[in-house]
Amino acid sequence: MSKLVLTEEESMLADMARGFLDGAAPVSAFRKMRDEGRTHDAKLWKQMAEMGWAGVLVPEDAGGSDMGFAAANVIAREMGKTLVVSPFLSTAVMAATALRQVSDARASDALAKIASGDVTYALAIDEGIKHDPEATMMEARADGNGFRLTGKKTFVVDGAMADRLLVLARTADGLTLFDIPSDRAGITRDKSNMIDARDAAKIDFENVEATGEDVLGQVHSAMTVLRPALQAGQAALAAEMAGLSAGAFEMTVGYLKERKQFGTEIGRFQALQHRAAHLWCETEVTASAILNAGRMLDDDPQNAELAVSLAKAKATSTATLAVQEGVQMHGGIGMTDAYDMGFYMKRARVSSEWLGDYSYHAERVAALRGF
């Protein structure tokens, strides 16, 4: 069987996820959350935890299902189809992957709490307008046996509701990653109003105390722990964007079959057929890139960066095409808030920037290919 074809188990997982999400989290549920000003559904997240999704990357001995990165991507793709809002990427994928890099009782306990759905995480990494962990300037000043954190973090997705934060800061000889509660003294969270109505925050750290036990991994060696977590998140986000593209495509094709002009369904017009066919081809190529990224993360994580960046860049390009074509082929109604296509367009825009935009990943692909 080809590496780029879903296994029987993965196909069953996708079908199970789709069946659950169509009932528990359709796009109409997202619209209701948006209208009510909510960005988190605690009941839905608990249901996902009970199904094993929160522990998809948590070892079985810590209470997880440990299904692997390709399986996590399958779940993320199904979530993207109906724009599900959850801490899956931040908590179940990135935080869990970071914690797995550390072998101690504290990390195992944190993983168990993730798997049970009892704790959520957000990654406080970036400080500028673009994703660039290496440019971190937040100071972690040595203070006795611990540190004092001072600085600002932006675009912290799930940052307003998360129980804990993974915070990247600069220490004397490099970067260090801290795992701290989000309500620790000196932390101020300012919820951002993102265009896609998802939770994000700007976070200020003012002389925040961090002990040696709060360090995740080794002091001055943050990227050893953080890099695998970011790659896992980038691949899963790409999968979510692929699902978004598929959802927008399905909605567009449905409209083409129903909308009539001059007594004929507009889906019979050859020009629109060509555009729909091109978009379908792009979604299929993207799906292959994402499957490859998941396989690489499972089988050869040390050499997965090329596959992951390729998947994120391609997913960004395809999602942009899918929502632009969707809006255009819906005509005027596609631009109105009354129609769901606008939700897909806004989610695509935010997801394109999170964890590295198209240029960031295209440059990584070029560099890794020797250009």
Side-chain angles (χ1 to χ4, degrees):
M1 179 180 291
S2 168
K3 285 181 64 178
L4 301 185
V5 175
L6 288 176
T7 66
E8 182 177 352
E9 292 78 9
E10 289 166 348
S11 294
M12 291 175 62
L13 176 62
D15 290 342
M16 179 270 291
R18 186 73 270 131
F20 169 71
L21 293 171
D22 280 344
V27 181
S28 58
F30 171 73
R31 178 183 287 277
K32 182 178 180 182
M33 287 182 66
R34 192 282 307 265
D35 292 345
E36 295 176 350
R38 295 186 296 120
T39 56
H40 179 53
D41 186 340
K43 180 181 177 181
L44 177 63
W45 180 238
K46 198 64 177 179
Q47 289 178 305
M48 291 180 180
E50 291 171 354
M51 296 172 68
W53 295 4
V56 64
L57 296 175
V58 174
E60 293 182 5
D61 59 10
S65 52
D66 202 12
M67 289 186 280
F69 295 102
N73 291 352
V74 168
I75 295 171
R77 186 174 190 272
E78 295 306 315
M79 288 183 177
K81 290 180 181 178
T82 51
L83 306 177
V84 177
V85 176
S86 82
F88 180 75
L89 295 182
S90 297
T91 300
V93 176
M94 289 190 283
T97 301
L99 289 161
R100 288 191 65 151
Q101 310 307 309
V102 181
S103 300
D104 60 32
R106 178 179 170 282
S108 295
D109 181 61
L111 284 165
K113 290 178 179 177
I114 286 177
S116 64
D118 292 331
V119 68
T120 55
Y121 274 84
L123 273 68
I125 304 298
D126 290 314
E127 299 172 8
I129 61 174
K130 294 292 183 180
H131 178 64
D132 190 2
E134 301 286 355
T136 292
M137 295 305 294
M138 171 183 276
E139 180 187 19
R141 175 175 51 84
D143 181 32
N145 294 325
F147 301 87
R148 292 284 178 171
L149 308 182
T150 300
K152 301 178 185 292
K153 295 293 182 179
T154 63
F155 199 14
V156 183
V157 176
D158 298 323
M161 54 74 64
D163 302 309
R164 300 190 68 85
L165 302 171
L166 293 185
V167 185
L168 184 64
R170 187 165 296 279
T171 42
D173 297 314
L175 297 172
T176 301
L177 190 64
F178 297 88
D179 179 356
I180 60 179
S182 59
D183 60 355
R184 180 163 289 179
I187 295 177
T188 303
R189 295 185 285 177
D190 178 18
K191 182 178 178 180
S192 300
N193 185 20
M194 293 206 299
I195 61 170
D196 70 340
R198 256 197 316 199
D199 172 22
K202 297 178 181 177
I203 305 182
D204 287 352
F205 296 78
E206 184 61 41
N207 204 33
V208 176
E209 181 182 4
T211 68
E213 292 184 355
D214 293 325
V215 175
L216 191 60
Q218 300 296 318
V219 177
H220 313 316
S221 301
M223 298 312 292
T224 301
V225 173
L226 184 59
R227 185 174 290 108
L230 291 176
Q231 290 181 1
Q234 288 158 350
L237 179 57
E240 183 183 273
M241 295 179 76
L244 178 159
S245 299
F249 174 77
E250 181 179 347
M251 183 179 295
T252 301
V253 170
Y255 185 76
L256 294 180
K257 291 179 178 179
E258 296 175 358
R259 178 75 166 90
K260 289 185 177 181
Q261 194 171 46
F262 308 116
T264 302
E265 297 87 352
I266 61 175
R268 294 180 179 274
F269 299 161
Q270 192 173 57
L272 297 183
Q273 290 178 352
H274 286 171
R275 290 168 65 175
H278 174 232
L279 177 55
W280 180 84
C281 290
E282 291 300 304
T283 62
E284 290 297 298
V285 171
T286 303
S288 295
I290 290 162
L291 269 173
N292 183 54
R295 300 279 188 262
M296 288 295 294
L297 286 168
D298 282 328
D299 301 334
D300 190 9
Q302 298 301 318
N303 297 300
E305 183 178 6
L306 175 60
V308 169
S309 280
L310 178 62
K312 180 58 165 69
K314 185 60 183 174
T316 296
S317 175
T318 300
T320 300
L321 176 66
V323 297
Q324 288 178 346
E325 289 289 75
V327 168
Q328 290 184 18
M329 286 195 273
H330 275 85
I333 194 173
M335 293 298 296
T336 67
D337 186 71
Y339 208 73
D340 290 340
M341 183 56 66
F343 288 146
Y344 286 87
M345 179 174 62
K346 292 171 184 176
R347 178 68 63 86
R349 188 68 191 92
V350 173
S351 298
S352 295
E353 292 294 328
W354 191 23
L355 301 178
D357 61 10
Y358 179 86
S359 295
Y360 176 91
H361 288 286
E363 288 175 5
R364 293 303 307 145
V365 170
L368 291 165
R369 293 295 300 275
F371 294 102

